[in-house]
Amino acid sequence: MRISELRISGSGLIVDGVDLEVSGGETVGLVGESGSGKSLTARAAAGLLPKGLRATGSVMLDGRELLGARERVWRSVRGTRVSLLMQDPFAMLNPLRTAGAHVAESLRGRQDRAEVLRRLAEVGIDDPAVAGRHPFQLSGGMRQRVALAAALAADPELLIADEPTTALDATTQHEILMLIKGVQRARGMGVLLITHDLRVAFELCDRVAVMYAGRVVEQGPPAEMGKAPAHPYTAGLLAAVPTAGRRLHRLVGIRGSVPAAAEVSATCAFAARCDQATPECAHARPPLRELRPDRLTACLHEVRPRISVEEGPRDRRRVTDDAVLRVTGLRKTYGAHVALGGVSLHVNRGETVGVVGGSGSGKTTLARCVLGLVRPDAGTIELADPVRPRHRLVQCVFQDPSTSLNPALTVGATLAEAAAQGPEEGRLTVAELLELVGLPASYAGRRPAGLSGGERQRVAIARALSVRPALLICDEPVASLDVSVQAHVLELLREVGTSMVFVTHDLAVVRQMADRLVVLSRGEVVESGGTAEVLDAPAHGYTRSLLASVPATP
């Protein structure tokens, strides 16, 4: 497929002149922050733009122009020659249909059970009983496998995978990506991978295109780009990527946020956030020029080398030996499923304890028990001050702040309401809470819909801190954030000084956050100890398998 001069507009310009090509047997990654136009570019290539948006330019498949074609033409291509794999399999799978029915529908005339089972086996589902199960009866990783089997059943020439592993744990993510790679090699299929995870893109792709504010600003082989990025935006993204190999003294994100394409159509789109910008950057739009074959950049200058942020002291928090939380022998079952099988851990004052493991390991059940949202079947949970109300002792920062903030309330009203639940002595004002999380006081008048994902998460953190809790439970707080925003939020959490239980499936993130680590598998603690000790010399096979699944840091 060849995409040329693609422009997408609605009430304003969103994608501004994208050129991209994917050949058979090649994997091309499309990376960039939210708002860059990655997903809309993919949807335009599949003829699935939302209503109200219009695309111009060219989308060619084997010499055939698709952009502007009638829907019947797209239907003859979509799902057969071009397939789409989405981030959330629930968006692709009908909850009323079985896994086998989804695959059979894509086979179109080859709907015998043996062929359905063969297609499921191709994506690692060897149990024939899975074909008769509905999506709600499957794990997240299994649902994504079924969605992949359905997307591949018609033997497409191009698979467009839009954030296909974002919501999955590291082991399942690795398995899904290797499945895609294996099928691609066997069939000679092209893959367009859209992701905000640079580690995934740089490990899996043959070429990577970096999008910013609706345009491609750099393109090339990932090995070259990782060593010497040719655009400051790429360099900034790479500098923000955490690593599981060592703890960085400081996590550095790019200041500011992505502008609308319409606002920067005549200038360098990155100039306002770039430390290397000169007056000429604001007066003309730099073209995407060729440095050498297959190596393109839209920067007028030579990019400075990436600065390595060396390992340093933990941070400024003071850790003491008195426990803020002590969990002993915690058990929780759901029918025959053992979610927690006797888990014990403690968190000292000023300490961050990371809890890691794959899906179904019991991480979230443990967090919900400590928060009082789930009643355990057995065991004890001791908090530092049993007389103080639990909501003043323990607060939580969830993965998706858009579902935990009331959309009808302004930021100021949300924070004022939360602060009123805390102690009167030393109560922080709304302006002080916003300053604490690095937001201006003017944000008090905004509603969540008017904030970026990172800004909403900062507000969620401010709300959690408003009651001055002794313990903060962070349940995948950066899993849905872009790498640059993630760096800002993690650095903020490292600075607040509150004791934390940090729940995550990302070992690179937990390396930057935790003093000690607890590894859960099937509801049991299989390994624990100092973070560096566990990650540098894992003693348990499950921990070693988690580490082996972490994509290499570019």
Side-chain angles (χ1 to χ4, degrees), residues 67-369:
L67 206 59
R70 294 179 181 273
E71 178 57 26
R72 62 180 177 82
V73 175
W74 276 111
R75 280 199 298 266
S76 70
V77 171
R78 191 189 309 123
T80 54
R81 301 185 66 189
V82 177
S83 280
L84 192 64
L85 180 66
M86 306 293 288
Q87 173 179 341
D88 183 3
F90 269 130
M92 296 184 65
L93 301 179
N94 186 330
L96 301 179
R97 308 193 71 182
T98 64
H102 283 97
V103 176
E105 181 181 30
S106 298
L107 286 171
R108 302 187 181 188
R110 297 169 289 161
Q111 300 182 15
D112 61 286
R113 178 174 170 78
E115 182 65 13
V116 168
L117 296 180
R118 188 182 76 79
R119 297 293 183 152
L120 289 173
E122 186 180 34
V123 296
I125 300 176
D126 298 318
D127 183 359
V130 173
R133 293 174 187 163
H134 290 81
F136 72 90
Q137 297 173 303
L138 305 174
S139 67
M142 194 67 79
R143 284 193 295 268
Q144 194 64 298
R145 288 172 188 266
V146 172
L148 178 59
L152 296 175
D155 301 322
E157 298 163 36
L158 174 66
L159 175 68
I160 301 175
D162 190 358
E163 300 280 9
T165 59
T166 297
L168 304 178
D169 63 76
T171 303
T172 308
Q173 170 182 274
H174 180 75
E175 290 171 353
I176 295 294
L177 292 174
M178 290 304 101
L179 280 172
I180 293 174
K181 195 68 177 176
V183 171
Q184 178 201 35
R185 286 172 176 165
R187 298 184 179 185
M189 176 180 67
V191 175
L192 177 59
L193 175 68
I194 291 89
T195 181
H196 67 260
D197 191 332
L198 270 71
R199 292 172 299 176
V200 167
F202 276 61
E203 181 173 282
L204 196 70
C205 298
D206 303 299
R207 280 189 297 122
V208 172
V210 181
M211 276 194 77
Y212 185 78
R215 66 185 79 158
V216 173
V217 296
E218 182 170 0
Q219 183 174 302
E224 289 186 26
M225 292 172 65
K227 293 177 182 177
H231 196 282
Y233 179 59
T234 310
L237 291 178
L238 289 168
V241 176
T243 173
R246 60 193 177 102
R247 185 189 184 277
L248 302 177
H249 176 57
R250 186 166 56 93
L251 298 169
V252 182
I254 305 170
R255 56 185 170 84
S257 57
V258 181
E263 297 174 358
V264 291
S265 60
T267 69
C268 171
F270 190 60
R273 303 174 72 187
C274 182
D275 295 331
Q276 296 181 231
T278 60
E280 61 181 321
C281 299
H283 293 133
R285 173 174 173 168
L288 189 63
R289 58 189 175 89
E290 188 175 80
L291 296 176
R292 52 188 173 277
D294 204 26
R295 192 80 167 88
L296 308 173
T297 182
C299 183
L300 299 173
H301 309 292
E302 184 177 344
V303 177
R304 297 171 192 149
R306 290 168 57 195
I307 298 172
S308 176
V309 183
E310 295 301 328
E311 189 169 358
R314 283 294 310 149
D315 48 39
R316 289 193 289 273
R317 285 176 300 137
R318 181 171 173 267
V319 179
T320 64
D321 290 334
D322 56 320
V324 172
L325 170 70
R326 191 174 296 278
V327 174
T328 307
L330 208 63
R331 296 185 61 84
K332 179 64 183 178
T333 59
Y334 296 98
H337 174 65
V338 180
L340 296 174
V343 169
S344 300
L345 61 83
H346 71 278
V347 182
N348 290 328
R349 197 172 300 278
E351 183 181 42
T352 294
V353 173
V355 179
V356 301
S359 298
S361 62
K363 306 187 304 295
T364 297
T365 300
L366 172 62
R368 292 173 67 85
C369 286

Side-chain angles (χ1 to χ4, degrees), residues 502-551:
F502 196 94
V503 178
T504 182
H505 65 259
D506 192 327
L507 298 187
V509 166
V510 84
R511 180 64 179 251
Q512 310 308 315
M513 296 301 298
D515 302 289
R516 285 190 297 111
L517 202 54
V518 173
V519 182
L520 287 182
S521 176
R522 298 181 180 179
E524 296 185 354
V525 177
V526 297
E527 187 164 0
S528 64
T531 300
E533 176 188 3
V534 171
L535 295 184
D536 292 342
H540 196 277
Y542 180 69
T543 311
R544 289 194 291 271
S545 71
L546 289 177
L547 279 165
S549 300
V550 177

